[in-house]
Amino acid sequence: MSRFTTALGSSIGAKLVMALTGLALLGFVLAHMIGNLQVFAGPEKINAYAHTLQNLGPILWAMRIGLLTIFGLHVWTAFKLWTANKAARPVPYAVVVPSASTYASRTMIWSGFIVLAFIVYHLLHFTLGAVQGDIFQQTREAWTAADGKHPDVYAMIVRGFRSPAVALSYVVAQLLLGLHLSHGVSSVFQTLGFTSPRLACVKKAAGPLVATVIVIGNCSIPLAILLGLVGKGVN
Ligand code: HEM
């Protein structure tokens, strides 16, 4: 085994993989949120953005494969660390004293699993059209752009989130994603060796701050649609 693969197999190496893949996934979540927030600027803006992405062709596929690989590494390494932890302590503590840890840190694996389930549901919903298939089909046919036929992503999002069950399921998923990120972002500092006491405040605040921005940004979309503030022109 090379030194590189030995390092990755160690617990420190695994934590480094978690930190770096986590940062890359956070970059995606932020960029995706900024793109989606264009729903507040009206159909032309968000549809033009969606079409630009769809027109990337092979570049889009390279980005998708890259994202999937990073995501797979993050989940696989988390699972490996979790099982190694369990094996090191086969009998759990009789009494858990949660003094040094936070609720978010103790529930990382479970919030992670729920975020994973959300992503599968989300892909079935907006990318594959297996959830709310009628809306998906309708909006795939609906919008013609100057460079060819493109789906009406704006109408798909609006019609999708008019269902209270769908909108609220997204809100709950964002809250759990926020819980996951609030611990994940702060622990990246630790893993990358930013342990100076001068950085303690930044380290503690960064996770909750990033999580709050993402929860508010992502929840604002389904909630604004559910409340009828966005999408008045869509029947
Ligand atoms: C309210 C929040 C969100 C909205 C409105 C939203 C909207 C969308 C839409 C409309 C698409 C399909 C784009 C198209 O086919 O043109 C999409 C794809 C996707 N979304 Fe989201 N999204 C949200 C949150 C998230 C979150 C939190 C994650 C990850 C944690 C995520 C991950 C993805 C992925 C991986 C894809 C597939 C991208 C691709 O096909 O290449 N989304 N989203």
Side-chain angles (χ1 to χ4, degrees), residues 25 28-29 32-33 36 39 46 50-51 53-54 60 63-64 67 71 115 118-119 122-123 126-127 136 140 151 153 156-157 161 170 173-174 177 214 217-222:
L25 293 169
F28 167 78
V29 169
H32 189 49
M33 181 183 82
N36 288 333
V39 81
I46 191 153
H51 303 157
L53 283 181
Q54 283 154 11
L60 176 64
M63 282 160 57
R64 281 174 167 162
L67 186 64
F71 186 68
V115 170
F118 161 74
I119 294 171
H122 181 51
L123 291 177
F126 281 153
T127 303
F136 185 81
R140 290 284 123 169
V153 171
M156 176 175 76
I157 296 175
F161 289 147
Y170 270 72
Q174 301 317 305
L177 174 64
I214 288 171
N218 276 346
C219 287
S220 69
I221 303 168

Side-chain angles (χ1 to χ4, degrees), residues 156-231:
M156 176 175 76
I157 296 175
V158 168
R159 290 190 185 125
F161 289 147
R162 275 180 183 160
S163 152
V166 172
L168 294 177
S169 70
Y170 270 72
V171 169
V172 171
Q174 301 317 305
L175 292 173
L176 286 155
L177 174 64
L179 186 69
H180 193 77
L181 289 176
S182 78
H183 174 71
V185 170
S186 292
S187 61
V188 162
F189 283 86
Q190 191 71 25
T191 306
L192 297 183
F194 297 110
T195 48
S196 136
R198 276 189 307 148
L199 282 176
C201 250
V202 181
K203 213 170 79 179
K204 214 168 157 200
L209 187 72
V210 170
T212 305
V213 168
I214 288 171
V215 170
I216 293 178
N218 276 346
C219 287
S220 69
I221 303 168
L223 289 178
I225 292 169
L226 193 60
L227 296 173
L229 304 173
V230 167

Side-chain angles (χ1 to χ4, degrees), residues 117-134:
F118 161 74
I119 294 171
V120 173
Y121 168 71
H122 181 51
L123 291 177
L124 290 172
H125 184 205
F126 281 153
T127 303
L128 300 170
V131 176
Q132 294 186 318
D134 47 339

